[in-house]
mmCIF file of all heavy atoms in Angstrom:
data_model
loop_
_atom_site.group_PDB
_atom_site.id
_atom_site.type_symbol
_atom_site.label_atom_id
_atom_site.label_comp_id
_atom_site.label_asym_id
_atom_site.label_seq_id
_atom_site.Cartn_x
_atom_site.Cartn_y
_atom_site.Cartn_z
ATOM 1 N N GLY B 361 21.567 24.018 2.466
ATOM 2 C CA GLY B 361 21.185 25.203 1.716
ATOM 3 C C GLY B 361 21.993 25.366 0.486
ATOM 4 O O GLY B 361 21.489 25.907 -0.489
ATOM 5 N N ASP B 362 23.210 24.909 0.508
ATOM 6 C CA ASP B 362 24.087 25.029 -0.709
ATOM 7 C C ASP B 362 24.204 23.801 -1.511
ATOM 8 O O ASP B 362 25.229 23.564 -2.270
ATOM 9 C CB ASP B 362 25.455 25.562 -0.252
ATOM 10 C CG ASP B 362 26.180 24.634 0.624
ATOM 11 O OD1 ASP B 362 25.432 23.645 1.086
ATOM 12 O OD2 ASP B 362 27.295 24.821 0.996
ATOM 13 N N ALA B 363 23.333 22.797 -1.339
ATOM 14 C CA ALA B 363 23.466 21.497 -1.938
ATOM 15 C C ALA B 363 23.559 21.705 -3.495
ATOM 16 O O ALA B 363 22.743 22.558 -4.062
ATOM 17 C CB ALA B 363 22.227 20.650 -1.612
ATOM 18 N N ARG B 364 24.374 20.912 -4.145
ATOM 19 C CA ARG B 364 24.514 20.903 -5.600
ATOM 20 C C ARG B 364 23.471 19.945 -6.118
ATOM 21 O O ARG B 364 23.678 18.682 -6.025
ATOM 22 C CB ARG B 364 25.876 20.587 -6.043
ATOM 23 C CG ARG B 364 26.436 21.578 -7.060
ATOM 24 C CD ARG B 364 27.720 21.147 -7.616
ATOM 25 N NE ARG B 364 27.645 20.746 -8.973
ATOM 26 C CZ ARG B 364 28.670 20.428 -9.799
ATOM 27 N NH1 ARG B 364 29.806 20.474 -9.265
ATOM 28 N NH2 ARG B 364 28.447 20.106 -11.065
ATOM 29 N N ILE B 365 22.344 20.378 -6.556
ATOM 30 C CA ILE B 365 21.302 19.514 -6.897
ATOM 31 C C ILE B 365 20.364 20.205 -7.835
ATOM 32 O O ILE B 365 20.256 21.450 -7.825
ATOM 33 C CB ILE B 365 20.526 19.101 -5.603
ATOM 34 C CG1 ILE B 365 19.294 18.157 -5.857
ATOM 35 C CG2 ILE B 365 20.011 20.336 -4.838
ATOM 36 C CD1 ILE B 365 18.535 17.744 -4.588
ATOM 37 N N ALA B 366 19.764 19.510 -8.711
ATOM 38 C CA ALA B 366 18.833 20.114 -9.758
ATOM 39 C C ALA B 366 17.591 19.228 -9.950
ATOM 40 O O ALA B 366 17.606 18.017 -9.668
ATOM 41 C CB ALA B 366 19.554 20.270 -11.084
ATOM 42 N N VAL B 367 16.533 19.904 -10.250
ATOM 43 C CA VAL B 367 15.310 19.175 -10.639
ATOM 44 C C VAL B 367 15.664 18.142 -11.706
ATOM 45 O O VAL B 367 16.292 18.532 -12.693
ATOM 46 C CB VAL B 367 14.212 20.140 -11.115
ATOM 47 C CG1 VAL B 367 12.996 19.441 -11.755
ATOM 48 C CG2 VAL B 367 13.648 21.014 -9.882
ATOM 49 N N GLY B 368 15.191 16.989 -11.540
ATOM 50 C CA GLY B 368 15.503 15.881 -12.490
ATOM 51 C C GLY B 368 16.639 14.991 -12.035
ATOM 52 O O GLY B 368 16.782 13.843 -12.598
ATOM 53 N N ASP B 369 17.406 15.333 -11.069
ATOM 54 C CA ASP B 369 18.359 14.463 -10.501
ATOM 55 C C ASP B 369 17.668 13.304 -9.839
ATOM 56 O O ASP B 369 16.467 13.338 -9.534
ATOM 57 C CB ASP B 369 19.222 15.224 -9.410
ATOM 58 C CG ASP B 369 20.274 16.165 -9.939
ATOM 59 O OD1 ASP B 369 20.461 16.022 -11.152
ATOM 60 O OD2 ASP B 369 20.872 16.921 -9.108
ATOM 61 N N VAL B 370 18.422 12.231 -9.632
ATOM 62 C CA VAL B 370 17.807 10.935 -9.191
ATOM 63 C C VAL B 370 18.321 10.657 -7.841
ATOM 64 O O VAL B 370 19.652 10.672 -7.558
ATOM 65 C CB VAL B 370 18.064 9.797 -10.179
ATOM 66 C CG1 VAL B 370 17.657 8.475 -9.576
ATOM 67 C CG2 VAL B 370 17.311 10.078 -11.429
ATOM 68 N N ILE B 371 17.549 10.253 -6.862
ATOM 69 C CA ILE B 371 17.965 9.894 -5.557
ATOM 70 C C ILE B 371 17.548 8.376 -5.303
ATOM 71 O O ILE B 371 16.400 8.019 -5.580
ATOM 72 C CB ILE B 371 17.503 10.821 -4.480
ATOM 73 C CG1 ILE B 371 18.056 12.188 -4.644
ATOM 74 C CG2 ILE B 371 17.850 10.283 -3.042
ATOM 75 C CD1 ILE B 371 17.613 13.200 -3.660
ATOM 76 N N ALA B 372 18.426 7.560 -4.763
ATOM 77 C CA ALA B 372 18.148 6.273 -4.358
ATOM 78 C C ALA B 372 17.729 6.290 -2.828
ATOM 79 O O ALA B 372 18.512 6.845 -2.013
ATOM 80 C CB ALA B 372 19.356 5.340 -4.532
ATOM 81 N N PHE B 373 16.640 5.641 -2.530
ATOM 82 C CA PHE B 373 16.151 5.642 -1.155
ATOM 83 C C PHE B 373 16.085 4.254 -0.612
ATOM 84 O O PHE B 373 15.745 3.308 -1.300
ATOM 85 C CB PHE B 373 14.679 6.134 -1.050
ATOM 86 C CG PHE B 373 14.559 7.643 -1.230
ATOM 87 C CD1 PHE B 373 14.585 8.180 -2.497
ATOM 88 C CD2 PHE B 373 14.472 8.529 -0.150
ATOM 89 C CE1 PHE B 373 14.486 9.664 -2.664
ATOM 90 C CE2 PHE B 373 14.437 9.839 -0.316
ATOM 91 C CZ PHE B 373 14.353 10.376 -1.568
ATOM 92 N N GLY B 374 16.447 4.138 0.689
ATOM 93 C CA GLY B 374 16.330 2.934 1.367
ATOM 94 C C GLY B 374 15.192 2.994 2.381
ATOM 95 O O GLY B 374 14.604 4.135 2.590
ATOM 96 N N THR B 375 14.826 1.885 3.017
ATOM 97 C CA THR B 375 13.704 1.922 3.914
ATOM 98 C C THR B 375 13.963 1.080 5.212
ATOM 99 O O THR B 375 14.987 0.301 5.207
ATOM 100 C CB THR B 375 12.394 1.277 3.294
ATOM 101 O OG1 THR B 375 12.673 -0.131 3.109
ATOM 102 C CG2 THR B 375 12.064 1.944 1.934
ATOM 103 N N SER B 376 13.089 1.207 6.139
ATOM 104 C CA SER B 376 13.019 0.287 7.222
ATOM 105 C C SER B 376 11.847 -0.668 6.948
ATOM 106 O O SER B 376 10.773 -0.144 6.547
ATOM 107 C CB SER B 376 12.733 0.947 8.569
ATOM 108 O OG SER B 376 13.950 1.311 9.213
ATOM 109 N N HIS B 377 12.048 -1.958 7.058
ATOM 110 C CA HIS B 377 10.954 -2.883 6.925
ATOM 111 C C HIS B 377 10.469 -2.960 5.458
ATOM 112 O O HIS B 377 9.621 -2.159 5.007
ATOM 113 C CB HIS B 377 9.671 -2.491 7.792
ATOM 114 C CG HIS B 377 8.894 -3.718 8.299
ATOM 115 N ND1 HIS B 377 8.674 -4.732 7.388
ATOM 116 C CD2 HIS B 377 8.325 -4.016 9.376
ATOM 117 C CE1 HIS B 377 7.878 -5.588 7.971
ATOM 118 N NE2 HIS B 377 7.647 -5.170 9.169
ATOM 119 N N PRO B 378 10.975 -3.915 4.727
ATOM 120 C CA PRO B 378 10.666 -4.008 3.333
ATOM 121 C C PRO B 378 9.221 -4.383 2.896
ATOM 122 O O PRO B 378 8.806 -3.963 1.792
ATOM 123 C CB PRO B 378 11.623 -5.060 2.738
ATOM 124 C CG PRO B 378 11.956 -5.900 4.012
ATOM 125 C CD PRO B 378 11.932 -5.056 5.153
ATOM 126 N N CYS B 379 8.528 -4.987 3.834
ATOM 127 C CA CYS B 379 7.159 -5.592 3.473
ATOM 128 C C CYS B 379 6.286 -4.440 2.837
ATOM 129 O O CYS B 379 5.578 -4.673 1.868
ATOM 130 C CB CYS B 379 6.446 -6.120 4.678
ATOM 131 S SG CYS B 379 7.244 -7.594 5.330
ATOM 132 N N LEU B 380 6.354 -3.286 3.427
ATOM 133 C CA LEU B 380 5.373 -2.219 2.971
ATOM 134 C C LEU B 380 5.928 -1.385 1.841
ATOM 135 O O LEU B 380 5.292 -0.412 1.477
ATOM 136 C CB LEU B 380 4.961 -1.339 4.257
ATOM 137 C CG LEU B 380 4.122 -2.124 5.252
ATOM 138 C CD1 LEU B 380 3.872 -1.290 6.516
ATOM 139 C CD2 LEU B 380 2.842 -2.622 4.676
ATOM 140 N N THR B 381 7.073 -1.825 1.365
ATOM 141 C CA THR B 381 7.458 -1.238 0.044
ATOM 142 C C THR B 381 7.036 -2.223 -1.152
ATOM 143 O O THR B 381 6.584 -1.724 -2.120
ATOM 144 C CB THR B 381 8.977 -0.924 -0.045
ATOM 145 O OG1 THR B 381 9.274 0.056 0.934
ATOM 146 C CG2 THR B 381 9.451 -0.497 -1.379
ATOM 147 N N PHE B 382 7.310 -3.454 -0.894
ATOM 148 C CA PHE B 382 6.907 -4.447 -1.923
ATOM 149 C C PHE B 382 5.464 -4.271 -2.342
ATOM 150 O O PHE B 382 5.089 -4.276 -3.532
ATOM 151 C CB PHE B 382 7.146 -5.927 -1.439
ATOM 152 C CG PHE B 382 8.470 -6.421 -1.668
ATOM 153 C CD1 PHE B 382 9.458 -6.437 -0.605
ATOM 154 C CD2 PHE B 382 8.851 -6.962 -2.880
ATOM 155 C CE1 PHE B 382 10.719 -6.876 -0.779
ATOM 156 C CE2 PHE B 382 10.187 -7.446 -3.053
ATOM 157 C CZ PHE B 382 11.122 -7.425 -2.093
ATOM 158 N N ASP B 383 4.620 -4.041 -1.299
ATOM 159 C CA ASP B 383 3.105 -4.122 -1.709
ATOM 160 C C ASP B 383 2.663 -2.797 -2.417
ATOM 161 O O ASP B 383 1.477 -2.718 -2.855
ATOM 162 C CB ASP B 383 2.203 -4.386 -0.483
ATOM 163 C CG ASP B 383 2.343 -3.341 0.541
ATOM 164 O OD1 ASP B 383 2.777 -2.239 0.242
ATOM 165 O OD2 ASP B 383 1.786 -3.610 1.713
ATOM 166 N N LYS B 384 3.547 -1.912 -2.689
ATOM 167 C CA LYS B 384 3.233 -0.720 -3.443
ATOM 168 C C LYS B 384 3.449 -0.951 -4.987
ATOM 169 O O LYS B 384 3.169 -0.077 -5.805
ATOM 170 C CB LYS B 384 4.137 0.450 -3.044
ATOM 171 C CG LYS B 384 4.119 0.771 -1.516
ATOM 172 C CD LYS B 384 2.749 1.187 -1.099
ATOM 173 C CE LYS B 384 2.728 1.538 0.416
ATOM 174 N NZ LYS B 384 2.708 0.368 1.263
ATOM 175 N N TRP B 385 3.949 -2.130 -5.380
ATOM 176 C CA TRP B 385 4.428 -2.304 -6.701
ATOM 177 C C TRP B 385 3.902 -3.656 -7.284
ATOM 178 O O TRP B 385 3.855 -4.679 -6.550
ATOM 179 C CB TRP B 385 6.026 -2.427 -6.764
ATOM 180 C CG TRP B 385 6.494 -1.120 -6.385
ATOM 181 C CD1 TRP B 385 6.976 -0.739 -5.107
ATOM 182 C CD2 TRP B 385 6.765 0.033 -7.218
ATOM 183 N NE1 TRP B 385 7.402 0.636 -5.141
ATOM 184 C CE2 TRP B 385 7.274 1.078 -6.438
ATOM 185 C CE3 TRP B 385 6.553 0.267 -8.531
ATOM 186 C CZ2 TRP B 385 7.593 2.330 -6.932
ATOM 187 C CZ3 TRP B 385 6.852 1.488 -9.022
ATOM 188 C CH2 TRP B 385 7.390 2.551 -8.239
ATOM 189 N N ARG B 386 3.478 -3.637 -8.571
ATOM 190 C CA ARG B 386 3.101 -4.861 -9.226
ATOM 191 C C ARG B 386 4.210 -5.501 -9.824
ATOM 192 O O ARG B 386 4.171 -6.649 -10.252
ATOM 193 C CB ARG B 386 2.024 -4.581 -10.368
ATOM 194 C CG ARG B 386 0.763 -3.984 -9.680
ATOM 195 C CD ARG B 386 -0.418 -3.999 -10.698
ATOM 196 N NE ARG B 386 -1.529 -3.315 -9.939
ATOM 197 C CZ ARG B 386 -2.777 -3.329 -10.437
ATOM 198 N NH1 ARG B 386 -3.019 -3.944 -11.613
ATOM 199 N NH2 ARG B 386 -3.745 -2.768 -9.746
ATOM 200 N N GLN B 387 5.346 -4.745 -10.069
ATOM 201 C CA GLN B 387 6.595 -5.238 -10.475
ATOM 202 C C GLN B 387 7.732 -4.552 -9.851
ATOM 203 O O GLN B 387 7.675 -3.246 -9.651
ATOM 204 C CB GLN B 387 6.719 -5.083 -12.033
ATOM 205 C CG GLN B 387 5.761 -5.692 -12.881
ATOM 206 C CD GLN B 387 5.449 -4.920 -14.078
ATOM 207 O OE1 GLN B 387 6.322 -4.676 -14.941
ATOM 208 N NE2 GLN B 387 4.266 -4.353 -14.104
ATOM 209 N N LEU B 388 8.816 -5.225 -9.549
ATOM 210 C CA LEU B 388 10.007 -4.678 -9.080
ATOM 211 C C LEU B 388 11.120 -5.024 -10.146
ATOM 212 O O LEU B 388 11.013 -6.045 -10.794
ATOM 213 C CB LEU B 388 10.507 -5.080 -7.704
ATOM 214 C CG LEU B 388 9.576 -4.656 -6.573
ATOM 215 C CD1 LEU B 388 8.486 -5.647 -6.289
ATOM 216 C CD2 LEU B 388 10.405 -4.409 -5.313
ATOM 217 N N LEU B 389 12.129 -4.176 -10.269
ATOM 218 C CA LEU B 389 13.151 -4.446 -11.196
ATOM 219 C C LEU B 389 14.368 -5.100 -10.531
ATOM 220 O O LEU B 389 14.943 -4.458 -9.562
ATOM 221 C CB LEU B 389 13.664 -3.177 -11.877
ATOM 222 C CG LEU B 389 12.841 -2.577 -12.986
ATOM 223 C CD1 LEU B 389 13.507 -1.367 -13.591
ATOM 224 C CD2 LEU B 389 12.697 -3.697 -14.085
ATOM 225 N N LEU B 390 14.811 -6.223 -11.069
ATOM 226 C CA LEU B 390 16.148 -6.715 -10.579
ATOM 227 C C LEU B 390 17.247 -6.065 -11.412
ATOM 228 O O LEU B 390 17.130 -6.055 -12.695
ATOM 229 C CB LEU B 390 16.168 -8.226 -10.848
ATOM 230 C CG LEU B 390 17.355 -9.011 -10.278
ATOM 231 C CD1 LEU B 390 17.170 -9.055 -8.693
ATOM 232 C CD2 LEU B 390 17.419 -10.400 -10.819
ATOM 233 N N VAL B 391 18.139 -5.449 -10.733
ATOM 234 C CA VAL B 391 19.209 -4.651 -11.535
ATOM 235 C C VAL B 391 20.585 -5.238 -11.177
ATOM 236 O O VAL B 391 20.858 -5.678 -10.037
ATOM 237 C CB VAL B 391 19.145 -3.132 -11.264
ATOM 238 C CG1 VAL B 391 17.825 -2.612 -11.733
ATOM 239 C CG2 VAL B 391 19.375 -2.795 -9.757
ATOM 240 N N ASP B 392 21.485 -5.004 -12.119
ATOM 241 C CA ASP B 392 22.888 -5.405 -11.911
ATOM 242 C C ASP B 392 23.636 -4.127 -11.401
ATOM 243 O O ASP B 392 23.070 -3.063 -11.071
ATOM 244 C CB ASP B 392 23.521 -5.993 -13.182
ATOM 245 C CG ASP B 392 23.638 -4.946 -14.256
ATOM 246 O OD1 ASP B 392 23.453 -3.742 -14.012
ATOM 247 O OD2 ASP B 392 23.880 -5.382 -15.425
ATOM 248 N N GLU B 393 24.953 -4.297 -11.239
ATOM 249 C CA GLU B 393 25.670 -3.221 -10.558
ATOM 250 C C GLU B 393 25.827 -1.975 -11.435
ATOM 251 O O GLU B 393 25.945 -0.954 -10.878
ATOM 252 C CB GLU B 393 27.184 -3.703 -10.351
ATOM 253 C CG GLU B 393 27.226 -4.709 -9.181
ATOM 254 C CD GLU B 393 28.591 -5.055 -8.770
ATOM 255 O OE1 GLU B 393 29.652 -4.563 -9.400
ATOM 256 O OE2 GLU B 393 28.786 -5.867 -7.850
ATOM 257 N N ALA B 394 25.514 -2.092 -12.747
ATOM 258 C CA ALA B 394 25.500 -0.968 -13.576
ATOM 259 C C ALA B 394 24.082 -0.374 -13.604
ATOM 260 O O ALA B 394 23.811 0.519 -14.498
ATOM 261 C CB ALA B 394 25.959 -1.363 -15.014
#
Side-chain angles (χ1 to χ4, degrees):
Chain B
D362 61 351
R364 230 187 111 174
I365 180 176
V367 167
D369 282 351
V370 171
I371 296 181
F373 286 83
T375 68
S376 268
H377 208 319
C379 292
L380 295 174
T381 294
F382 273 99
D383 64 14
K384 306 297 183 284
W385 297 92
R386 296 196 185 187
Q387 300 145 63
L388 291 91
L389 275 186
L390 188 73
V391 299
D392 63 16
E393 286 186 1

